[in-house]
Amino acid sequence: MRNSWQEYILKEFIPQVNRLTLVADPDYLLTEEDILQRLRERGFDILLFEDPIAFRFAYESKYRSKWDNGDSSIELVVVVHEEAANLRLLPYDIFRTDRKLSFSLGDMFPQLSYSVIRSLDRGHLEPLYQAYLQYTPEKLGDNATKDFLLSRVFDLDAEFIRRPSDLLGALLRRHYRDQHIPKLLDQRFIQILRQHGRFEDWPLETIIQDREAFFSFLQERWPIFLNHTMINKDSSVREPPATYALKYSGPADIPFDNEDVRVYIDTLFLDGLLQPVAFPQANKSTQQWITVGIRLDPEADRLRRLEGLIRLVGTRIPLDDARYQDWFAFAHRWSELIVLSHETNVQKQSALEQQFYSLQKKVDTTFQAWVMKRYSSLHNLPPSPPVMVHHVAHDITQYIQTAAKEKVALIIMDGLAFDQWIILREVFSQQRPDVKFREHMVFAWLPTITSVSRQSIFAGKPPLYYPESIFNTNKEATLWTQFWNDKGVSQNEVAYKKGLGEGTGLSEIDELLSHPKIRVVGFIIDTVDKIVHGMELGTSGIHNQVRQWATQGFMIGLLDLLLQNHFAIFITSDHGNIEANGCGQVSEGAIVDLRGVRARVYSDKVLRAQVQKRFPDAIDWPPFGLPDNFLPLLAPNRSAFVSEGKRVVGHGGISIEELIVPYVQVRRKTT
């Protein structure tokens, strides 16, 4: 018996046997995160065949030329996301190699419905594989396969969900972990619940599939629970007071105090997934698990939440072998802690300040170690769900196709870190309560600088494919237009505008959006980046200025214009930023190709090594997904290549704040 589904594939890859292997991979198995990492550890490079011209460029420049020069150390796996017969799509000189493999879910799970299991996120294949080995089901049809997956993979058995607390417990487990379950499984789950006549008044179609809607559903019922628990002790009273207007259908009074539900409440409020409410009737005798959701004293509330969040974050740092999704979840919590620590002014709380900075050091060390080990494989992951910024345009393309949307806008907030997005989201929510934000995250490119990472967003490709413009952003409009041309959108239907961020530009944008031919727009808002580069007051100063800028109305005005013109809206960033302390000024004259406070780039390894001798802790970052002559030197930890003792805000290096950025869909609430 094989230990994991990955062994089913990895057993075929033995180092130092074939320098070139072709793989038909219709189900994206070879480009799963752990597979990619373990193949790289064995010495294999992965090259995807998607665009013939881009593929030929990468193949000739990074592999063929080295083989011709006698370098036999490189072993390449070319992956085609098609059936085996379609390997013939490859150029003939490559197709004629003897080593050809094919992997598919149908071969791995022959007893299950292929059309159902192929909808799974690849992160769910391991529990499926173990369940499949343990239970070895007979040949199952579509519905039976769905039931098998719901029960054995997602621990969701509708037959045993009979009470409101059962349903709430199941949904809390799912949505707190941000577990992505295919829509067809959700539909089957709802069908079984409905056919037994249970939960008929619950908005199941909304709160099961939509994470944000589920927490909004809980949020509007929390004050009703407080009212019934702390004022009206008669449990037979189920109607909410007239002052509570419910946007979501379903029961007004839900069992927050059930032990399977209550265990989540404290954490939901600490994480910011639920917001405390004013409740004057609260007093010192109120139970602690309830008071976490009540606004009592603003300063004391923030301090109490800060203490709790520091403890919680300290227990949730991902392990060395964590998947990228674990770091996304952690980054969201870490960003909430950053915002709260500056709102509370942690420097005035000496004990908490020590705890925070000790935790920050541990987080930085752990994250950097993970990035050094696993980041290099992320750019080869499938673009949906998006993992890196160059996946964003591909994800938007798929959204347009599945949602039948005709017009789409991508807004790039240059330099926006996720903690700064939290500030913006708070202001936007106050300005337009009818607008909702579906939040995700993506990794920026290393080094986390604009010319590398922002261009990859517009190109929809790794930086390797635009070597001539990697030191500037002059070709962004061309790259953006070319991407959409390749998707069948004509040049006069695509627009690009940069340098936005002030209110005077809205009239010009309105004229552009109203043009009947425009279907795709790419906007660059550079206000946050300007704030960051001019900031001398650190993160607190950035938060204050970002909040002030948001209240001036340009961004919410832009969102209004896009929604009024029926555009689907997506917001992302090319990189974030951190406060850093100077570790010494670098003076190497003309030998450096790009000067940054957190990253410097060289075209020669010897030159980079000379500079690194002075900064032995600096990181000589390999050119993963970069041109071979683009060689970054990254400042270590939270330091910067400026005079010792000088404090700056910058970007370019490895930290959660710089590397994990927001990717947000904006919509009007429909409920």
Side-chain angles (χ1 to χ4, degrees), residues 301-589:
D301 291 344
R302 281 195 294 269
L303 185 60
R304 184 173 63 249
R305 186 185 171 212
L306 178 61
E307 293 171 340
L309 200 50
I310 288 176
R311 288 194 302 270
L312 180 65
V313 168
T315 65
R316 302 295 173 88
I317 301 175
L319 302 175
D320 291 343
D321 60 348
R323 300 174 67 84
Y324 75 84
Q325 296 97 328
D326 300 322
W327 279 106
F328 282 172
F330 181 84
H332 197 292
R333 187 175 288 120
W334 179 246
S335 299
E336 290 279 358
L337 177 56
I338 291 172
V339 173
L340 187 61
S341 68
H342 288 280
E343 286 181 348
T344 312
N345 196 353
V346 70
Q347 287 79 10
K348 292 185 178 180
Q349 309 289 335
S350 57
L352 281 181
E353 180 184 20
Q354 184 177 355
Q355 292 177 41
F356 176 80
Y357 288 114
S358 175
L359 177 60
Q360 183 186 73
K361 184 176 181 180
K362 183 177 180 180
V363 169
D364 288 346
T365 301
T366 306
F367 183 64
Q368 179 174 303
W370 182 88
V371 168
M372 299 292 287
K373 180 180 180 181
R374 299 184 71 103
Y375 177 87
S376 61
S377 299
L378 298 180
H379 70 280
N380 279 324
L381 291 175
S384 187
V387 181
M388 295 192 67
V389 288
H390 70 282
H391 291 154
V392 164
H394 297 274
D395 185 66
I396 292 174
T397 301
Q398 185 170 342
Y399 172 81
I400 293 173
Q401 294 169 347
T402 56
K405 280 285 186 180
E406 294 185 356
K407 298 193 289 186
V408 63
L410 174 61
I411 301 172
I412 298 178
M413 307 285 293
D414 193 351
L416 182 75
F418 201 91
D419 56 288
Q420 292 143 22
W421 161 252
I422 291 174
I423 302 293
L424 291 180
R425 182 194 63 199
E426 178 185 332
V427 176
F428 297 161
S429 297
Q430 293 170 351
Q431 293 170 326
R432 296 293 184 274
D434 63 328
V435 172
K436 64 185 295 187
F437 305 96
R438 177 165 290 180
E439 296 176 343
H440 300 280
M441 295 179 173
V442 286
F443 284 94
W445 270 96
L446 274 169
T448 46
I449 56 179
T450 300
S451 65
V452 173
S453 203
R454 198 173 81 189
Q455 278 195 107
S456 75
I457 301 176
F458 286 117
K461 297 176 182 177
L464 165 68
Y465 296 105
Y466 46 87
E468 295 180 356
S469 64
I470 197 168
F471 291 104
N472 57 64
T473 59
N474 296 338
K475 290 191 175 181
E476 283 180 339
T478 301
L479 293 170
W480 179 240
T481 302
Q482 184 60 55
F483 175 87
W484 288 103
N485 287 172
D486 293 342
K487 302 298 181 182
V489 181
S490 64
Q491 184 170 343
N492 61 2
E493 295 176 312
V494 180
Y496 161 94
K497 290 188 73 67
K498 65 178 181 179
L500 304 177
E502 304 301 329
T504 54
L506 287 178
S507 58
E508 183 180 347
I509 293 173
D510 189 16
E511 182 179 351
L512 171 67
L513 297 179
S514 60
H515 193 287
K517 288 188 176 182
I518 294 297
R519 293 176 55 197
V520 176
V521 297
F523 292 149
I524 300 173
I525 312 295
D526 58 7
T527 303
V528 173
D529 196 55
K530 290 178 180 177
I531 290 173
V532 167
H533 286 290
M535 180 51 59
E536 297 181 356
L537 300 178
T539 301
S540 294
I542 294 173
H543 286 180
N544 289 335
Q545 287 201 24
V546 167
R547 188 185 302 276
Q548 182 179 358
W549 170 70
T551 59
Q552 291 172 3
F554 173 84
M555 270 301 297
I556 203 65
L558 175 59
L559 298 182
D560 284 342
L561 286 176
L562 289 167
L563 291 169
Q564 290 164 12
N565 285 278
H566 308 292
F567 279 80
I569 307 172
F570 296 85
I571 300 174
T572 192
S573 170
D574 52 350
H575 58 78
N577 53 80
I578 62 166
E579 289 185 65
N581 289 308
C583 62
Q585 189 78 39
V586 184
S587 301
E588 73 274 75

Side-chain angles (χ1 to χ4, degrees), residues 15-27:
Q16 304 301 315
V17 174
N18 296 87
R19 73 178 187 181
L20 179 61
T21 301
L22 310 183
V23 178
D25 182 29
D27 298 316

Side-chain angles (χ1 to χ4, degrees), residues 25-60:
D25 182 29
D27 298 316
Y28 293 79
L29 299 177
L30 207 68
T31 50
E32 184 269 342
E33 186 178 356
D34 287 333
I35 290 281
L36 287 171
Q37 175 61 29
R38 293 169 70 178
L39 284 174
R40 180 169 289 281
E41 290 172 353
R42 296 185 183 193
F44 292 95
D45 275 10
I46 306 294
L47 183 61
L48 306 183
F49 180 78
E50 295 171 321
D51 176 84
I53 297 176
F55 171 81
R56 177 58 78 177
F57 170 79
Y59 178 76
E60 295 292 339

Side-chain angles (χ1 to χ4, degrees), residues 227-228 232 234-240 253:
N227 185 76
H228 290 166
N232 193 335
D234 182 358
S235 61
S236 66
V237 176
R238 294 300 181 209
E239 293 301 319
D253 191 16

Side-chain angles (χ1 to χ4, degrees), residues 646-667:
K646 184 177 181 180
R647 193 160 184 82
V648 297
V649 178
H651 57 88
I654 301 175
S655 69
I656 289 178
E657 295 96 305
E658 293 166 289
L659 197 55
I660 299 181
V661 296
Y663 174 47
V664 181
Q665 183 182 0
V666 183
R667 297 183 297 175

